Amino acid sequence: MKYLITLLLLGASISNWAQSPVNTEIQKPKNIILLIGDGMGLSQVSASFYFNEETSNFTRFNDIGLMRTSSSAQLVTDSAAGATAFASGVKTYNGAVGFSNKNKPVTSIVEILSESGYATGVIATSSVVHATPAAFYAHVKSRRIYQQIAEQLAESELDFIAGGGDKFFSQRTDGKNLYEDFKAKGFDVHTDALPEMISDKKQLIILAEDGMPKMIDGRGDFLPNSTQMALDYLSKNEEGFFLMIEGSQIDWGGHDNDTDYLLGEQIDFDKTIGIALDFAENNGNTLVIVTADHETGGFTLSAKGDNYYKLDPTFATSGHSATLIPVFAYGPGSESFRGIYENTDIFHKMMELLGKK
């Protein structure tokens, strides 16, 4: 009889548990930091563990997914099509910036959020008119129309901009000085060095003629420091903010098949991820997403011959590859980035979490 009573009580307990509502609601972030390691595949991420004197910040992520990156017309994407997928949620042809494969402009997350009162920013170690940052504010059929992209940047609603590209603003073939346009829109313009302190005005920081110097050539802490400055500035906005940060030159090291170049950029990007994660941990309302537009170089961490105690990084190509790309997420809504999906889903997941869909 005691055994029967125990079974009945256990059955009732299981029944009550099964009928109890389970809270599956996904938390919503107020802010999003999207970090793009241009050209960063899984081997590049792995290099952050093997060649880094510090513990890699990638260890701080629990929610991880994989992403397919092919463009609308090619199996292997370029940065323009890849960034347009992130920024606007559409597949397009290689070379298109903020344009669909039907040659129509597509609205970006920066444009949508700016209209809703969010503060927005872009940071890159390339010029700020390069393909990846440009996809978040510009609309051109070809990524190489740099002077036109620079004009569209001056017309955009971005609040914080940092990177290289001076020649596209002040050394133009049409004789224009776009820095005057930025000042007329209420920007502080910095072209000498990253300022120690900034005002409450919008910020344009352009510190190189084209791309920023390589890490192995002495760039220093531009990327982590400008990221911290942007977070301090943008987080003052009560509505929320969106910040895109690109480690642009991981890609360039891959194209050059230059291991030292690539590793310097990868470790710098890893350090910058730490700045974003520290902010998110303290803030509590910020989603951090780390991914790449594609992999570059077919980079591999091979054993050095039969010596399994040493690594011999090698490259398979001077171009891009079609390997799946990891996606790392931390903060409110991070579980949405688990699984395997298309690169366009990054945009749609962000918009849904921000309640804009």
Side-chain angles (χ1 to χ4, degrees), residues 229-246:
M229 183 173 291
L231 293 172
D232 291 342
Y233 172 81
L234 296 172
S235 61
K236 294 177 182 178
N237 187 55
E238 294 184 3
E239 187 65 33
F241 70 82
F242 173 83
L243 175 62
M244 191 288 294
I245 304 157
E246 185 193 28

Side-chain angles (χ1 to χ4, degrees), residues 250-262:
I250 300 170
D251 174 67
W252 299 356
H255 280 298
D256 288 353
N257 286 185
D258 185 330
T259 300
D260 290 339
Y261 187 3
L262 186 154

Side-chain angles (χ1 to χ4, degrees), residues 38-333:
D38 198 311
M40 183 187 72
L42 193 54
S43 288
Q44 285 86 344
V45 172
S46 300
S48 292
F49 291 78
Y50 293 111
F51 296 95
N52 199 340
E53 294 181 359
E54 307 293 333
T55 301
S56 173
N57 284 292
F58 284 103
T59 63
R60 299 165 68 177
F61 293 96
N62 291 320
D63 291 317
I64 303 167
L66 288 170
M67 178 182 68
R68 294 188 289 262
T69 64
S70 296
S71 60
S72 66
Q74 294 92 358
L75 287 174
V76 180
T77 190
D78 79 334
S79 294
T84 298
F86 295 154
S88 298
V90 300
K91 292 277 189 181
T92 192
Y93 57 89
N94 287 354
V97 171
F99 253 73
S100 73
N101 59 1
K102 298 182 191 283
N103 281 324
K104 294 184 180 295
V106 287
T107 307
S108 74
I109 186 171
V110 163
E111 292 167 325
I112 294 168
L113 295 181
S114 293
E115 286 186 1
S116 299
Y118 284 68
T120 56
V122 296
I123 301 172
T125 56
S126 64
S127 75
V128 294
V129 299
H130 215 252
T132 301
F136 287 85
Y137 62 82
H139 307 279
V140 292
K141 295 179 182 179
S142 171
R143 59 183 289 179
R144 306 294 177 191
I145 313 173
Y146 296 124
Q147 290 195 161
Q148 185 177 339
I149 293 172
E151 289 187 68
Q152 293 189 23
L153 178 55
E155 296 166 357
S156 77
E157 294 301 318
L158 283 161
D159 302 288
F160 189 101
I161 304 156
D166 174 73
K167 67 180 182 180
F168 305 111
F169 298 94
S170 67
Q171 304 170 41
R172 298 167 57 89
T173 57
D174 59 12
K176 293 180 181 178
N177 184 339
L178 294 184
Y179 292 141
E180 297 304 319
D181 293 12
F182 280 97
K183 291 175 182 177
K185 288 187 66 177
F187 276 81
D188 281 338
V189 176
H190 309 273
T191 58
D192 295 326
L194 197 65
E196 293 185 8
M197 295 185 65
I198 57 175
S199 71
D200 290 335
K201 298 172 71 173
K202 293 185 177 186
Q203 300 294 313
L204 177 69
I205 303 167
I206 304 295
L207 303 183
E209 183 179 20
D210 198 344
M212 295 291 293
K214 304 173 184 178
M215 281 301 295
I216 57 176
D217 288 343
R219 185 172 73 234
D221 285 336
F222 164 78
L223 193 60
N225 287 349
S226 61
T227 294
Q228 185 64 67
M229 183 173 291
L231 293 172
D232 291 342
Y233 172 81
L234 296 172
S235 61
K236 294 177 182 178
N237 187 55
E238 294 184 3
E239 187 65 33
F241 70 82
F242 173 83
L243 175 62
M244 191 288 294
I245 304 157
E246 185 193 28
S248 318
Q249 297 187 40
I250 300 170
D251 174 67
W252 299 356
H255 280 298
D256 288 353
N257 286 185
D258 185 330
T259 300
D260 290 339
Y261 187 3
L262 186 154
L263 293 177
E265 299 301 322
Q266 182 66 41
I267 292 168
D268 181 52
F269 187 62
D270 192 314
K271 184 175 182 178
T272 305
I273 292 169
I275 299 294
L277 288 174
D278 288 347
F279 175 88
E281 285 179 358
N282 292 326
N283 176 265
N285 291 317
T286 299
L287 170 65
V288 177
I289 307 161
V290 180
T291 190
D293 44 5
H294 53 74
E295 192 276 340
T296 303
F299 185 62
T300 305
L301 297 176
S302 308
K304 195 172 184 65
D306 293 332
N307 185 345
Y308 281 29
Y309 292 99
K310 290 188 176 181
L311 292 174
D312 183 22
T314 58
F315 297 89
T317 178
S318 61
H320 299 170
S321 70
T323 184
L324 295 182
I325 293 297
V327 182
F328 304 86
Y330 172 89

